[in-house]
Amino acid sequence: MLTVGLTGGIGAGKSEVSRLLVSYGAVLVDADRIAREVVEPGTPGLAAIVEEFGREVLREDGTLDRPKLGGIVFNAPDRLRALNAIVHPLVGARSAELEASAGPDAIVVHDVPLLAENELAGLYDVVVVVDASPETQLDRLVRLRGMTEQEARARMAAQATRERRLAAADLVIDNDGPLEALKPQVEKVWEELRGRAEG
């Protein structure tokens, strides 16, 4: 089994790269998706969050009110640490479960948005960084995700610098250009990953 850490700044195009890798045969472990799963109604994760932050972080239907919780933790490092202490171990355990069920010959791609920020490169055999210039990221966030320029800049500033992400990379996919320029690069990276898995 080859484990791959896939990361990139917000708006860099990581989701498109992971979609292509899955189409070539990779097994995807999506940290964001798992982070949502482990705090669904009825889970120990949601119960722990309510115990820590109070019932006001729940919507009327009993689901987690993410924007409300985000507002509490975004500018409060101690509250963010408390949230991460609940969610990260649950995500780690579920990720390990999914990886274990993938089979010995699998190429398992872990989609990890905060790989550089949390210094997680050492957990993977190979780290792939999807890279785009800050100008490209900003344009995509405003044009495609409907953020204001101020919101987009704040989200980008909360992440690791481009230099820090690139420093963690074994392989880099340049996604500054159009979508059609992305596919051949991802194919090349897939061939490289297959080579390493077989080697």
Side-chain angles (χ1 to χ4, degrees), residues 65-133:
D65 187 335
R66 292 177 172 282
K68 189 164 231 177
L69 182 60
I72 293 169
V73 303
F74 191 66
N75 287 314
D78 58 323
R79 302 310 283 142
L80 182 59
R81 273 193 297 277
L83 177 62
N84 288 342
I86 294 167
V87 176
H88 285 176
L90 296 169
V91 172
R94 181 69 181 128
S95 298
E97 234 173 75
L98 290 169
E99 186 177 291
S101 66
D105 299 330
I107 296 175
V108 181
V109 175
H110 291 263
D111 182 330
V112 188
L114 302 179
L115 184 143
E117 290 81 347
N118 294 326
E119 299 184 353
L120 301 176
L123 298 178
Y124 308 102
D125 298 322
V126 183
V127 172
V128 177
V129 172
V130 184
D131 182 52
S133 69

Side-chain angles (χ1 to χ4, degrees), residues 54-66:
R55 296 198 64 79
E56 64 269 18
V57 298
L58 292 180
R59 292 197 169 99
E60 281 183 21
D61 65 0
T63 59
L64 183 61
D65 187 335
R66 292 177 172 282

Side-chain angles (χ1 to χ4, degrees), residues 142-191:
V142 172
R143 197 167 41 84
L144 303 176
R145 295 206 198 168
M147 291 184 189
T148 66
E149 188 172 326
Q150 190 178 358
E151 285 170 336
R153 287 188 187 282
R155 294 287 295 277
M156 288 165 62
Q159 293 190 328
T161 61
R162 184 182 191 186
E163 292 71 26
R164 188 167 166 198
R165 262 193 306 277
L166 290 171
D170 296 304
L171 301 169
V172 177
I173 294 171
D174 175 3
N175 192 22
D176 237 1
L179 200 55
E180 52 272 17
L182 181 64
K183 196 172 180 188
Q185 288 189 77
V186 180
E187 282 174 1
K188 194 172 167 198
V189 163
W190 178 247
E191 288 308 315

Side-chain angles (χ1 to χ4, degrees), residues 11-44:
K14 184 168 52 63
S15 301
E16 187 59 29
V17 170
S18 63
R19 194 186 64 72
L20 286 167
L21 289 171
V22 166
S23 77
Y24 302 145
V27 174
L28 180 66
V29 178
D30 183 336
D32 273 352
R33 188 177 306 150
I34 294 168
R36 288 191 292 274
E37 275 174 25
V38 298
V39 295
E40 283 175 356
T43 60

